[in-house]
Amino acid sequence: MTQLTPKQPARRGRIFPELTLSPEELAEREAERDAFHKRCRAIFERVRPELMKEHYNWYIAVEPDSGDYFIDQDIEVASQQAREKHPHAVHCMFRLNEIGAVGRI
């Protein structure tokens, strides 16, 4: 068994405790994510009925600050189109169907 010397402090808990976020910071980040998603969802709900007729089950990337959206059958292509037009913005992905979920549930 290894003996601890005064030069070797006992390490317990996280590897990098200075990188631990406070509960307030975590709550603030979650609130920002929820607000971002609500802005994206509002744009998606506005354009979904007209786009579902011709592009059912396609992917839509929504950039909420400009209100732009990009659709394609391939999720990577829709995401790439959004990144090309708005390289420094975050976009949200939806699927053009009844619930808008991307991936498996």
Side-chain angles (χ1 to χ4, degrees), residues 1-104:
M1 187 166 176
T2 305
Q3 295 294 326
L4 292 177
T5 64
K7 295 180 182 178
Q8 295 175 326
R11 293 198 179 258
R12 293 189 175 102
R14 294 186 57 107
I15 296 174
F16 300 107
E18 64 275 4
L19 299 179
T20 303
L21 297 175
S22 68
E24 295 82 17
E25 178 71 20
L26 289 173
E28 182 181 336
R29 288 184 180 195
E30 185 175 354
E32 289 173 1
R33 277 193 307 271
D34 289 344
F36 173 78
H37 187 265
K38 285 180 183 178
R39 290 182 13 231
C40 292
R41 188 74 177 189
I43 295 170
F44 171 70
E45 292 296 337
R46 187 183 75 230
V47 300
R48 179 176 63 165
E50 61 193 44
L51 293 176
M52 267 181 50
K53 296 172 188 171
E54 294 184 28
H55 306 290
Y56 188 78
N57 259 350
W58 284 32
Y59 295 96
I60 179 171
V62 177
E63 200 285 308
D65 295 331
S66 66
D68 291 342
Y69 57 90
F70 308 89
I71 61 170
D72 200 90
Q73 285 181 317
D74 185 11
I75 190 170
E76 293 298 325
V77 174
S79 182
Q80 182 63 33
Q81 290 172 348
R83 284 192 302 266
E84 285 175 1
K85 178 120 187 233
H86 304 283
H88 301 292
V90 178
H91 61 273
C92 191
M93 295 297 292
F94 295 99
R95 195 138 192 196
L96 288 169
N97 56 24
E98 290 77 16
I99 57 174
V102 176
R104 295 184 182 188

